[in-house]
Amino acid sequence: MIDPIILFFLLGAVAGLLRSELRLPAAIYEFVSIVLLLAIGLKGGVELAKQPFASLLPQMLTVVAMGFGLTLLAFPVLRYLGRFKRADAASIAAHYGSVSVGTYAVAVAYLGSQQISFEEHMPLLLVLLEVPAILVGIVLARGLSRQTRWKSIAHEVFLGKGIVLLLGGLLIGWVAGPDGLSSIEPLFVDLFKGILALFLLEMGLIMATQMGSLRRHGPFLVVFGIVMPLFSALVGTWLGWSLGLSIGGTTILATLAASASYIAVPAAMRISVPEANPTLSLAGALGITFPFNVLLGIPLYHALAVWAHTFAKG
């Protein structure tokens, strides 16, 4: 059976494509986003307190290196095969080297529905993966120029809403522990899938608005928006297996690698690379990659993780 949260996404997509009057009020969408980000951070923070920080360091460094590497790999493909302008190629590459919180949340819900456990410190890796691609994208677009507004970029990256809420949730969960959070579980735990369903309804509506941009910019972005996540998922699967993650943890890491940012990176690129066309990046990330990952990708990445662990056992 199809998970109900996926049906919410499809409802939004169909309503948007049919030009329905359905809209999620801006204040509601803001509230849903805040609850979703805090819920992810809180759960990760509780589990983070259970293990020594030093044991996580190899995974943290690997994820940062993956963010750099995927961005550097995507750029020449976009620049020379896609024939995008340098600024546009760098911006799109940064989106695909970063991470989507919404896709992560869907992967968590998917594993939960399959009763598959995973390492609960994954929100920490989610936060770390936001940053490297942004830095690489800026350097690829502009070089190491004195004119680059690094102070504004740092403020947007590290004090943006998404990072503050995720890190804040991690810290609160780490300090309070499971007993301290029991009083707020009805909102942040029990209602998680309901909140996620509303979030995906809005994502479906937003995705529908990107269809016109995809028609204008040709088939290459469509192909890239599917092939790049598949390649990135293979990298994430291999790294997850190499790091000794569980099947669930490997699935999450593959999903993180395969996702494309549509919150933190667009904001940073708007400041640092204003000449880049944001429509191209968002059309690929929201119009192609997000629905592909939500509808087909996550089950496929889980199958890859199962295969990798089975193959490793001989």
Coordinates of all heavy atoms in Angstrom, one line a residue, residues 123-202:
P123 N 20.5 13.4 12.1 CA 20.2 14.8 12.0 C 21.5 15.6 12.1 O 21.6 16.7 11.5 CB 19.3 15.1 13.2 CG 18.6 13.9 13.4 CD 19.5 12.8 13.2
L124 N 22.5 15.1 12.9 CA 23.8 15.8 12.9 C 24.5 15.8 11.5 O 25.0 16.8 11.1 CB 24.7 15.2 14.0 CG 26.1 15.7 14.1 CD1 26.1 17.2 14.5 CD2 26.9 14.9 15.1
L125 N 24.4 14.7 10.9 CA 25.0 14.5 9.5 C 24.2 15.4 8.5 O 24.8 16.0 7.6 CB 25.1 13.1 9.1 CG 25.8 12.1 10.0 CD1 25.8 10.7 9.4 CD2 27.2 12.6 10.4
L126 N 22.9 15.5 8.7 CA 22.1 16.3 7.9 C 22.5 17.8 8.0 O 22.7 18.5 6.9 CB 20.6 16.2 8.4 CG 19.6 17.1 7.8 CD1 19.3 16.8 6.3 CD2 18.3 17.1 8.6
V127 N 22.8 18.3 9.2 CA 23.2 19.7 9.3 C 24.6 19.9 8.7 O 24.8 20.9 8.0 CB 23.3 20.0 10.8 CG1 24.0 21.4 11.0 CG2 21.9 20.0 11.4
L128 N 25.5 18.9 8.9 CA 26.9 19.1 8.3 C 26.9 19.1 6.8 O 27.7 19.8 6.2 CB 27.7 17.9 8.8 CG 28.2 17.9 10.3 CD1 28.9 16.6 10.6 CD2 29.0 19.1 10.6
L129 N 25.9 18.4 6.2 CA 25.9 18.3 4.7 C 25.4 19.6 4.1 O 25.5 19.7 2.9 CB 25.1 17.1 4.3 CG 25.3 16.6 2.9 CD1 26.7 16.3 2.6 CD2 24.5 15.3 2.7
E130 N 24.8 20.4 4.8 CA 24.3 21.7 4.3 C 25.4 22.6 3.8 O 25.3 23.3 2.8 CB 23.4 22.4 5.3 CG 22.1 21.9 5.6 CD 21.0 22.4 4.7 OE1 21.4 22.9 3.6 OE2 19.8 22.3 5.0
V131 N 26.5 22.6 4.5 CA 27.5 23.7 4.4 C 28.5 23.5 3.2 O 28.7 24.4 2.5 CB 28.2 23.9 5.7 CG1 29.3 25.0 5.6 CG2 27.3 24.2 6.8
P132 N 29.2 22.3 3.1 CA 30.3 22.2 2.1 C 29.9 22.6 0.7 O 30.6 23.3 0.0 CB 30.7 20.7 2.2 CG 30.2 20.3 3.5 CD 29.0 21.0 3.8
A133 N 28.7 22.2 0.2 CA 28.3 22.5 -1.1 C 28.1 24.0 -1.4 O 28.4 24.4 -2.5 CB 27.0 21.7 -1.4
I134 N 27.7 24.7 -0.4 CA 27.5 26.1 -0.6 C 28.9 26.8 -0.8 O 29.1 27.6 -1.7 CB 26.8 26.7 0.7 CG1 25.4 26.2 0.8 CG2 26.8 28.2 0.6 CD1 24.6 26.6 2.0
L135 N 29.8 26.4 0.0 CA 31.2 27.0 -0.1 C 31.8 26.7 -1.4 O 32.4 27.5 -2.1 CB 32.1 26.5 1.0 CG 31.6 26.8 2.5 CD1 32.6 26.2 3.5 CD2 31.5 28.3 2.7
V136 N 31.7 25.4 -1.9 CA 32.3 25.0 -3.2 C 31.6 25.7 -4.3 O 32.2 26.2 -5.3 CB 32.2 23.5 -3.3 CG1 32.6 23.1 -4.7 CG2 33.0 22.8 -2.3
G137 N 30.2 25.8 -4.2 CA 29.5 26.5 -5.3 C 29.9 27.9 -5.5 O 30.0 28.4 -6.6
I138 N 30.1 28.6 -4.4 CA 30.5 30.0 -4.4 C 31.9 30.1 -5.1 O 32.1 31.0 -5.9 CB 30.5 30.6 -3.0 CG1 29.1 30.7 -2.5 CG2 31.2 32.0 -3.0 CD1 29.0 31.1 -1.0
V139 N 32.8 29.3 -4.7 CA 34.2 29.3 -5.2 C 34.2 29.0 -6.7 O 34.9 29.6 -7.5 CB 35.1 28.4 -4.4 CG1 36.5 28.3 -5.1 CG2 35.3 28.9 -3.0
L140 N 33.4 28.0 -7.1 CA 33.3 27.6 -8.5 C 32.7 28.8 -9.4 O 33.1 28.9 -10.5 CB 32.4 26.4 -8.7 CG 33.0 25.0 -8.2 CD1 32.0 24.0 -8.2 CD2 34.2 24.6 -9.0
A141 N 31.8 29.5 -8.8 CA 31.2 30.6 -9.5 C 32.0 31.8 -9.6 O 32.1 32.5 -10.6 CB 29.8 30.9 -8.9
R142 N 32.7 32.2 -8.5 CA 33.3 33.5 -8.4 C 34.8 33.4 -8.1 O 35.5 34.4 -8.2 CB 32.7 34.3 -7.3 CG 31.1 34.4 -7.4 CD 30.6 35.4 -6.4 NE 30.9 36.7 -6.7 CZ 30.3 37.5 -7.6 NH1 29.2 37.0 -8.2 NH2 30.6 38.7 -7.8
G143 N 35.3 32.2 -7.8 CA 36.7 32.2 -7.3 C 36.9 32.7 -5.9 O 35.9 33.1 -5.3
L144 N 38.1 32.8 -5.5 CA 38.4 33.3 -4.1 C 38.6 34.8 -4.2 O 39.7 35.3 -4.1 CB 39.6 32.6 -3.5 CG 39.5 31.1 -3.3 CD1 40.8 30.5 -2.9 CD2 38.4 30.9 -2.2
S145 N 37.5 35.5 -4.4 CA 37.5 36.9 -4.7 C 37.3 37.7 -3.4 O 36.5 37.3 -2.5 CB 36.4 37.3 -5.7 OG 36.3 38.7 -5.8
R146 N 38.0 38.8 -3.3 CA 37.8 39.7 -2.1 C 36.4 40.3 -2.1 O 35.9 40.8 -1.1 CB 38.8 40.8 -2.1 CG 40.2 40.3 -1.8 CD 41.2 41.5 -1.8 NE 42.6 41.1 -1.5 CZ 43.6 41.9 -1.4 NH1 43.4 43.2 -1.5 NH2 44.8 41.4 -1.2
Q147 N 35.8 40.4 -3.3 CA 34.4 41.0 -3.4 C 33.3 40.0 -2.8 O 32.2 40.5 -2.6 CB 34.1 41.3 -4.8 CG 35.1 42.4 -5.4 CD 34.8 42.7 -6.8 OE1 34.0 42.0 -7.5 NE2 35.4 43.8 -7.3
T148 N 33.7 38.8 -2.6 CA 32.7 37.8 -2.1 C 32.2 38.2 -0.7 O 33.1 38.5 0.2 CB 33.2 36.4 -2.1 OG1 33.7 36.1 -3.4 CG2 32.1 35.4 -1.7
R149 N 31.0 38.3 -0.5 CA 30.4 38.8 0.8 C 30.4 37.6 1.8 O 29.3 37.1 2.1 CB 29.1 39.4 0.6 CG 29.1 40.6 -0.3 CD 27.7 40.9 -0.9 NE 26.7 41.2 0.2 CZ 25.4 41.3 0.0 NH1 24.9 41.2 -1.2 NH2 24.6 41.5 1.0
W150 N 31.6 37.2 2.3 CA 31.6 36.0 3.1 C 30.9 36.2 4.5 O 30.3 35.2 5.0 CB 33.1 35.7 3.4 CG 33.8 35.2 2.2 CD1 34.8 35.8 1.5 CD2 33.6 33.9 1.5 NE1 35.2 35.0 0.4 CE2 34.5 33.9 0.4 CE3 32.8 32.8 1.7 CZ2 34.5 32.8 -0.5 CZ3 32.8 31.7 0.9 CH2 33.7 31.7 -0.2
K151 N 30.9 37.4 5.0 CA 30.2 37.6 6.3 C 28.7 37.4 6.1 O 28.1 36.8 6.9 CB 30.5 39.1 6.8 CG 29.9 39.3 8.1 CD 30.3 40.7 8.6 CE 29.7 41.0 10.0 NZ 30.1 42.4 10.5
S152 N 28.1 38.0 5.0 CA 26.7 37.8 4.8 C 26.4 36.3 4.5 O 25.3 35.8 5.0 CB 26.3 38.7 3.6 OG 26.4 40.0 3.9
I153 N 27.3 35.7 3.8 CA 27.0 34.3 3.4 C 27.1 33.4 4.7 O 26.2 32.5 4.9 CB 28.1 33.8 2.4 CG1 27.9 34.5 1.1 CG2 28.0 32.3 2.2 CD1 29.1 34.4 0.2
A154 N 28.1 33.7 5.6 CA 28.2 32.9 6.8 C 26.9 33.1 7.7 O 26.4 32.1 8.3 CB 29.4 33.3 7.6
H155 N 26.4 34.3 7.7 CA 25.2 34.6 8.5 C 24.0 33.8 7.9 O 23.3 33.2 8.7 CB 24.9 36.1 8.5 CG 23.8 36.5 9.3 ND1 22.4 36.4 8.9 CD2 23.7 36.9 10.6 CE1 21.6 36.8 9.8 NE2 22.4 37.1 10.9
E156 N 23.9 33.8 6.6 CA 22.8 33.1 5.9 C 22.9 31.6 6.1 O 21.9 30.9 6.4 CB 22.8 33.5 4.5 CG 21.5 33.0 3.7 CD 20.3 33.7 4.1 OE1 20.3 34.9 4.4 OE2 19.2 33.0 4.3
V157 N 24.1 31.1 6.1 CA 24.3 29.6 6.2 C 24.1 29.1 7.6 O 23.4 28.2 7.9 CB 25.7 29.2 5.6 CG1 26.0 27.8 5.9 CG2 25.8 29.5 4.1
F158 N 24.9 29.8 8.5 CA 24.9 29.2 9.9 C 23.8 29.8 10.8 O 23.5 29.2 11.8 CB 26.2 29.6 10.5 CG 27.4 28.9 9.8 CD1 28.3 29.6 9.1 CD2 27.6 27.5 9.9 CE1 29.3 29.0 8.4 CE2 28.6 26.9 9.3 CZ 29.5 27.6 8.5
L159 N 23.2 30.9 10.4 CA 22.1 31.4 11.2 C 20.7 31.4 10.4 O 19.8 32.1 10.9 CB 22.4 32.9 11.7 CG 23.6 33.0 12.6 CD1 23.9 34.4 13.0 CD2 23.3 32.2 13.9
G160 N 20.7 30.7 9.3 CA 19.4 30.5 8.6 C 18.5 29.7 9.5 O 18.9 29.0 10.3
K161 N 17.2 29.9 9.1 CA 16.1 29.2 10.0 C 16.4 27.7 10.1 O 16.3 27.1 11.2 CB 14.8 29.5 9.3 CG 13.6 28.8 10.0 CD 12.3 29.0 9.3 CE 12.2 28.3 8.0 NZ 10.9 28.4 7.4
G162 N 16.7 27.1 9.0 CA 16.8 25.6 9.0 C 17.9 25.1 9.9 O 17.7 24.2 10.7
I163 N 19.1 25.7 9.8 CA 20.2 25.3 10.6 C 20.0 25.6 12.1 O 20.3 24.8 13.0 CB 21.5 26.0 10.1 CG1 21.9 25.6 8.7 CG2 22.7 25.7 11.1 CD1 22.2 24.1 8.6
V164 N 19.4 26.8 12.4 CA 19.2 27.2 13.8 C 18.2 26.2 14.4 O 18.4 25.8 15.6 CB 18.7 28.6 13.9 CG1 18.1 28.9 15.3 CG2 19.8 29.6 13.5
L165 N 17.1 25.9 13.7 CA 16.1 25.0 14.3 C 16.7 23.5 14.5 O 16.4 22.9 15.5 CB 14.9 25.0 13.4 CG 14.0 26.2 13.4 CD1 13.0 26.2 12.4 CD2 13.4 26.5 14.8
L166 N 17.4 23.1 13.5 CA 18.0 21.7 13.6 C 19.0 21.6 14.7 O 18.9 20.7 15.6 CB 18.6 21.3 12.3 CG 17.7 20.8 11.2 CD1 18.4 20.7 9.8 CD2 17.0 19.5 11.5
L167 N 19.9 22.6 14.7 CA 20.9 22.6 15.8 C 20.3 22.9 17.2 O 20.7 22.3 18.2 CB 22.0 23.6 15.5 CG 23.0 23.3 14.4 CD1 24.0 24.4 14.2 CD2 23.8 22.0 14.8
G168 N 19.3 23.8 17.2 CA 18.6 24.1 18.4 C 17.9 22.8 19.0 O 18.0 22.5 20.2
G169 N 17.2 22.1 18.1 CA 16.6 20.9 18.4 C 17.5 19.8 18.9 O 17.3 19.1 19.9
L170 N 18.7 19.7 18.3 CA 19.7 18.7 18.7 C 20.2 19.1 20.1 O 20.3 18.2 21.0 CB 20.9 18.8 17.7 CG 20.8 18.0 16.4 CD1 21.9 18.4 15.5 CD2 20.9 16.5 16.7
L171 N 20.4 20.4 20.4 CA 20.9 20.8 21.7 C 19.9 20.6 22.8 O 20.2 20.1 23.8 CB 21.3 22.3 21.6 CG 21.9 22.9 22.9 CD1 23.2 22.1 23.3 CD2 22.2 24.4 22.7
I172 N 18.6 20.9 22.5 CA 17.6 20.7 23.5 C 17.4 19.3 23.8 O 17.3 18.9 25.0 CB 16.3 21.4 23.0 CG1 16.4 22.9 22.9 CG2 15.1 21.0 23.9 CD1 15.3 23.6 22.2
G173 N 17.4 18.4 22.7 CA 17.2 17.0 22.9 C 18.4 16.4 23.7 O 18.2 15.5 24.6
W174 N 19.6 16.9 23.4 CA 20.8 16.4 24.1 C 20.8 16.8 25.6 O 21.1 16.0 26.5 CB 22.0 17.0 23.4 CG 23.3 16.6 24.0 CD1 23.9 15.3 24.0 CD2 24.2 17.4 24.8 NE1 25.1 15.3 24.7 CE2 25.3 16.6 25.1 CE3 24.2 18.7 25.1 CZ2 26.4 17.1 25.9 CZ3 25.3 19.2 25.8 CH2 26.3 18.4 26.2
V175 N 20.3 18.0 25.9 CA 20.3 18.5 27.3 C 19.1 17.9 28.1 O 19.3 17.4 29.2 CB 20.2 20.0 27.3 CG1 20.0 20.5 28.8 CG2 21.5 20.6 26.8
A176 N 18.0 17.9 27.5 CA 16.8 17.4 28.2 C 16.7 15.9 28.4 O 16.2 15.4 29.4 CB 15.5 18.0 27.5
G177 N 17.1 15.2 27.3 CA 17.0 13.7 27.4 C 15.5 13.3 27.2 O 14.6 14.1 27.1
P178 N 15.3 12.0 27.1 CA 13.9 11.5 26.8 C 12.9 11.8 27.9 O 11.8 12.1 27.6 CB 14.2 9.9 26.7 CG 15.5 9.7 27.4 CD 16.3 10.9 27.2
D179 N 13.3 11.8 29.1 CA 12.4 12.1 30.2 C 12.0 13.6 30.2 O 10.8 13.9 30.4 CB 13.0 11.8 31.6 CG 13.3 10.3 31.8 OD1 12.6 9.5 31.1 OD2 14.2 10.0 32.5
G180 N 12.9 14.4 29.9 CA 12.6 15.9 29.8 C 11.7 16.2 28.7 O 10.9 17.2 28.7
L181 N 11.7 15.4 27.6 CA 10.9 15.7 26.4 C 9.6 15.1 26.4 O 8.8 15.3 25.5 CB 11.7 15.3 25.1 CG 13.0 16.0 24.8 CD1 13.6 15.5 23.6 CD2 12.8 17.5 24.7
S182 N 9.3 14.2 27.4 CA 8.0 13.5 27.4 C 6.8 14.4 27.4 O 5.8 14.0 26.8 CB 8.0 12.6 28.7 OG 8.1 13.4 29.9
S183 N 6.9 15.6 28.0 CA 5.7 16.5 28.0 C 5.4 17.1 26.7 O 4.3 17.5 26.5 CB 6.0 17.6 29.1 OG 7.1 18.4 28.7
I184 N 6.4 17.1 25.7 CA 6.1 17.7 24.4 C 6.1 16.7 23.3 O 6.0 17.0 22.1 CB 7.2 18.8 24.1 CG1 8.6 18.2 24.1 CG2 7.1 20.0 25.1 CD1 9.6 19.2 23.6
E185 N 6.1 15.4 23.7 CA 6.0 14.3 22.7 C 4.7 14.4 21.9 O 4.8 14.1 20.7 CB 6.2 13.0 23.4 CG 7.6 12.6 23.6 CD 7.7 11.1 24.1 OE1 6.7 10.5 24.2 OE2 8.8 10.7 24.4
P186 N 3.6 14.7 22.4 CA 2.4 14.7 21.6 C 2.5 15.6 20.4 O 1.9 15.3 19.3 CB 1.3 15.3 22.6 CG 1.8 14.9 23.9 CD 3.3 15.0 23.9
L187 N 3.2 16.7 20.4 CA 3.4 17.6 19.3 C 4.5 17.1 18.4 O 4.3 17.0 17.2 CB 3.6 19.0 19.7 CG 4.0 20.0 18.6 CD1 2.8 20.1 17.6 CD2 4.3 21.4 19.2
F188 N 5.7 16.9 18.9 CA 6.9 16.6 18.1 C 7.1 15.2 17.7 O 7.9 14.9 16.9 CB 8.1 17.2 18.9 CG 8.1 18.7 19.0 CD1 7.8 19.3 20.2 CD2 8.4 19.4 17.9 CE1 7.8 20.7 20.2 CE2 8.4 20.8 17.9 CZ 8.1 21.5 19.1
V189 N 6.4 14.2 18.4 CA 6.6 12.8 18.1 C 5.3 12.2 17.5 O 5.3 11.7 16.4 CB 7.1 12.0 19.3 CG1 7.2 10.5 19.0 CG2 8.4 12.6 19.8
D190 N 4.2 12.3 18.3 CA 3.0 11.7 17.9 C 2.4 12.3 16.6 O 1.8 11.6 15.8 CB 2.0 11.8 19.1 CG 2.4 11.1 20.3 OD1 3.3 10.3 20.2 OD2 1.8 11.4 21.4
L191 N 2.6 13.6 16.4 CA 2.0 14.2 15.3 C 3.0 14.4 14.1 O 2.7 15.1 13.1 CB 1.5 15.6 15.6 CG 0.3 15.7 16.6 CD1 -0.1 17.1 16.9 CD2 -0.9 14.9 16.0
F192 N 4.1 13.7 14.2 CA 5.2 13.9 13.2 C 4.7 13.6 11.8 O 4.9 14.4 10.8 CB 6.4 13.1 13.5 CG 7.5 13.2 12.5 CD1 8.4 14.3 12.5 CD2 7.7 12.2 11.5 CE1 9.4 14.4 11.6 CE2 8.7 12.4 10.6 CZ 9.6 13.4 10.6
K193 N 4.0 12.5 11.6 CA 3.6 12.1 10.2 C 2.5 13.0 9.7 O 2.4 13.3 8.5 CB 3.2 10.6 10.2 CG 4.3 9.7 10.3 CD 4.0 8.3 9.8 CE 3.9 8.2 8.3 NZ 3.7 6.8 7.8
G194 N 1.6 13.5 10.6 CA 0.6 14.4 10.2 C 1.2 15.7 9.8 O 0.7 16.3 8.7
I195 N 2.1 16.2 10.5 CA 2.8 17.5 10.1 C 3.5 17.3 8.8 O 3.5 18.1 7.9 CB 3.8 17.9 11.2 CG1 3.1 18.3 12.5 CG2 4.7 19.0 10.7 CD1 2.3 19.5 12.4
L196 N 4.2 16.1 8.6 CA 4.9 15.8 7.4 C 3.9 15.8 6.2 O 4.3 16.2 5.1 CB 5.7 14.5 7.5 CG 6.5 14.0 6.3 CD1 7.5 15.1 5.9 CD2 7.2 12.7 6.6
A197 N 2.7 15.2 6.4 CA 1.7 15.1 5.4 C 1.4 16.5 4.9 O 1.3 16.8 3.7 CB 0.5 14.4 5.9
L198 N 1.2 17.5 5.8 CA 0.8 18.9 5.4 C 2.0 19.5 4.6 O 1.8 20.2 3.7 CB 0.5 19.7 6.6 CG -0.8 19.4 7.3 CD1 -1.0 20.2 8.6 CD2 -2.0 19.6 6.4
F199 N 3.2 19.2 5.1 CA 4.4 19.7 4.4 C 4.5 19.2 3.0 O 4.8 20.0 2.1 CB 5.7 19.3 5.2 CG 7.0 19.7 4.6 CD1 7.5 21.0 4.8 CD2 7.7 18.8 3.8 CE1 8.7 21.4 4.2 CE2 8.9 19.2 3.2 CZ 9.4 20.5 3.4
L200 N 4.2 17.9 2.8 CA 4.3 17.3 1.5 C 3.2 17.8 0.6 O 3.3 17.9 -0.6 CB 4.3 15.8 1.6 CG 5.6 15.2 2.1 CD1 5.4 13.7 2.2 CD2 6.8 15.5 1.2
L201 N 2.0 18.1 1.2 CA 0.9 18.7 0.4 C 1.4 20.0 -0.2 O 1.2 20.3 -1.4 CB -0.3 19.0 1.3 CG -1.5 19.7 0.7 CD1 -2.1 18.8 -0.4 CD2 -2.5 20.1 1.7
E202 N 2.1 20.9 0.5 CA 2.6 22.1 0.0 C 3.7 21.9 -1.0 O 3.8 22.6 -2.0 CB 3.1 23.0 1.2 CG 3.6 24.4 0.8 CD 2.6 25.3 0.2 OE1 1.4 25.0 0.2 OE2 3.0 26.4 -0.3

